[in-house]
Amino acid sequence: MALKRYFRVEGSSEGTVKEAKEFLQRPCTKIVSWDTYITWAVRFLYIVITVMTFIHRELLQIWINQLWAYLLTSWIFNCVYFETWSTVISYIVAFLFPWLMNQFSCFKKYRIDPSMKWKSYSLVFYLKETVFYVTPLMILDTFLVKKYYNVDPREWELRRQLWIQHTRALPRDPPSLAGIIGCIVSAFLVYDLVFFFVHFCVHKNAWLYKHVHADHHNHPHFQVEVTNQLSLFERMTLVLSANESLKIFNSHPLTRAIFVPLFVGWLIENHSGFDVPWTLDKIIPLGLVGGSRAHSRHHCHGNRNYQPFFTYIDSFILNPRGSETESLHKK
């Protein structure tokens, strides 16, 4: 293998064994994959965006104010079903990325499981999945009064008098740029922590695993459709825990609107079946983010990587062997 690599790098098929050994003994020789350059390029882009965001924070705040003024006049944004619709649309858009990667041979090298064959589903299947997902959420949207921070409580009292909700009571003031960023980061951290404990419990309890979570791990190949392969309990737990993670920090409706596509996109990336060099697990150093490969190992063995996004609990608390959970998978 080493000699083959030598001949590939040197671009000659006539090198001798002696030349190959000399090449392999060079201490400074290092073959760098293009993936490494891609990772560093994207990392540099993130740094530039962060710096530019700080430099132009006042201008960005003006744009946020203008955007919020427009959204207050939008019937779609005011509608009680906006966040549910936004979740579905975000899922469809994020779903297209792994689907498109599967169509081009240049992305096959990024498949976590090289033998993975994309399983196609009918339009009827996707429509059923959509209805099954949105129905309980839209029922909640219809009858529950949404309470956002900095809204006059008297507005909530007026809406409670209505059996059916049509619009949301939105705050008049826009959020700050720092508030948007802080709330989104904090909500991801809290959700990750809450979901870890729920996820850990359903894996450690044989009855819960069998009746609640086993179907999520029942798949011939690890691919994007597995993201939504959940029981009703899991769906509601996922949505409500994400919602409460945002409410803890009094997140503005605009912050929530930005959080939703990021949240859905990250979940789909974890279940995509592709391990590409531009995702956050490559960009953020020290292995703080799990990524699709770590989540794939979880689906395969079930003994670690219970956190959906980060790794600090798995790294510092859990036993690496996790033999008890592996036995649940074997069952």
Side-chain angles (χ1 to χ4, degrees), residues 105-170:
S105 59
C106 59
F107 291 106
K108 286 184 178 180
K109 63 178 181 178
Y110 296 121
R111 288 180 178 177
I112 297 174
D113 178 7
S115 65
M116 180 189 76
K117 294 182 180 179
W118 189 279
K119 184 178 179 181
S120 299
Y121 294 89
S122 66
L123 179 61
V124 174
F125 170 83
Y126 288 116
L127 289 175
K128 287 181 178 179
E129 285 288 299
T130 302
V131 171
F132 184 60
Y133 176 80
V134 303
T135 298
L137 298 180
M138 292 186 71
I139 291 174
L140 293 176
D141 292 336
T142 302
F143 297 104
L144 294 182
V145 177
K146 296 180 180 293
K147 297 181 180 179
Y148 298 117
Y149 180 72
N150 207 22
V151 173
D152 189 343
R154 290 175 295 182
E155 183 70 24
W156 299 336
E157 294 299 327
L158 290 174
R159 291 174 183 272
R160 282 199 188 97
Q161 298 176 13
L162 302 174
W163 280 89
I164 297 177
Q165 304 299 314
H166 300 282
T167 59
R168 302 185 291 172
L170 300 173

Side-chain angles (χ1 to χ4, degrees), residues 192-193 196-197 304 307 310-318:
D192 192 73
L193 178 64
F196 165 81
F197 286 108
R304 285 184 65 80
Q307 289 175 266
F310 303 104
T311 61
Y312 60 95
I313 301 179
D314 282 292
S315 299
F316 296 106
I317 296 179
L318 294 180

Side-chain angles (χ1 to χ4, degrees), residues 213-226:
H213 192 54
D215 187 54
H216 187 60
H217 288 263
N218 183 23
H219 47 78
H221 293 286
F222 186 66
Q223 65 180 61
V224 67
E225 279 87 356
V226 179

Side-chain angles (χ1 to χ4, degrees), residues 19-254:
E19 291 171 343
K21 289 181 178 179
E22 290 177 356
F23 170 78
L24 294 173
Q25 289 172 358
R26 298 175 194 172
C28 60
T29 300
K30 184 178 180 180
I31 299 175
V32 180
S33 168
W34 276 106
D35 293 348
T36 303
Y37 293 116
I38 294 173
T39 298
W40 275 101
V42 176
R43 187 175 292 161
F44 177 75
L45 180 62
Y46 271 90
I47 293 173
V48 170
I49 292 174
T50 302
V51 172
M52 296 301 291
T53 298
F54 178 78
I55 293 174
H56 299 287
R57 58 190 182 278
E58 294 182 359
L59 176 61
L60 290 173
Q61 185 61 56
I62 292 174
W63 290 352
I64 290 171
N65 297 347
Q66 293 174 345
L67 175 62
W68 183 244
Y70 168 75
L71 291 175
L72 285 176
T73 65
S74 169
W75 72 268
I76 296 177
F77 191 79
N78 279 268
C79 180
V80 292
Y81 306 117
F82 173 80
E83 290 186 352
T84 299
W85 293 343
S86 174
T87 303
V88 174
I89 294 172
S90 298
Y91 183 90
I92 295 172
V93 173
F95 175 90
L96 291 176
F97 285 93
W99 181 82
L100 286 172
M101 284 193 291
N102 187 69
Q103 307 305 310
F104 296 95
S105 59
C106 59
F107 291 106
K108 286 184 178 180
K109 63 178 181 178
Y110 296 121
R111 288 180 178 177
I112 297 174
D113 178 7
S115 65
M116 180 189 76
K117 294 182 180 179
W118 189 279
K119 184 178 179 181
S120 299
Y121 294 89
S122 66
L123 179 61
V124 174
F125 170 83
Y126 288 116
L127 289 175
K128 287 181 178 179
E129 285 288 299
T130 302
V131 171
F132 184 60
Y133 176 80
V134 303
T135 298
L137 298 180
M138 292 186 71
I139 291 174
L140 293 176
D141 292 336
T142 302
F143 297 104
L144 294 182
V145 177
K146 296 180 180 293
K147 297 181 180 179
Y148 298 117
Y149 180 72
N150 207 22
V151 173
D152 189 343
R154 290 175 295 182
E155 183 70 24
W156 299 336
E157 294 299 327
L158 290 174
R159 291 174 183 272
R160 282 199 188 97
Q161 298 176 13
L162 302 174
W163 280 89
I164 297 177
Q165 304 299 314
H166 300 282
T167 59
R168 302 185 291 172
L170 300 173
R172 308 309 300 177
D173 297 328
S176 66
L177 175 62
I180 292 175
I181 297 173
C183 285
I184 288 176
V185 173
S186 301
F188 270 116
L189 290 170
V190 171
Y191 172 84
D192 192 73
L193 178 64
V194 172
F195 193 84
F196 165 81
F197 286 108
V198 175
H199 197 190
F200 184 78
C201 288
V202 296
H203 270 275
K204 289 297 183 179
N205 184 284
W207 189 90
L208 287 176
Y209 181 81
K210 179 180 179 181
H211 294 90
V212 174
H213 192 54
D215 187 54
H216 187 60
H217 288 263
N218 183 23
H219 47 78
H221 293 286
F222 186 66
Q223 65 180 61
V224 67
E225 279 87 356
V226 179
T227 310
N228 200 40
Q229 191 172 304
L230 305 169
S231 65
L232 179 61
F233 173 82
E234 288 175 300
R235 293 173 193 268
M236 298 308 297
T237 300
L238 186 149
V239 172
L240 295 178
S241 56
N243 183 60
E244 290 302 315
S245 298
L246 289 164
K247 289 182 67 175
I248 288 174
F249 302 102
N250 295 321
S251 297
H252 194 276
L254 181 56

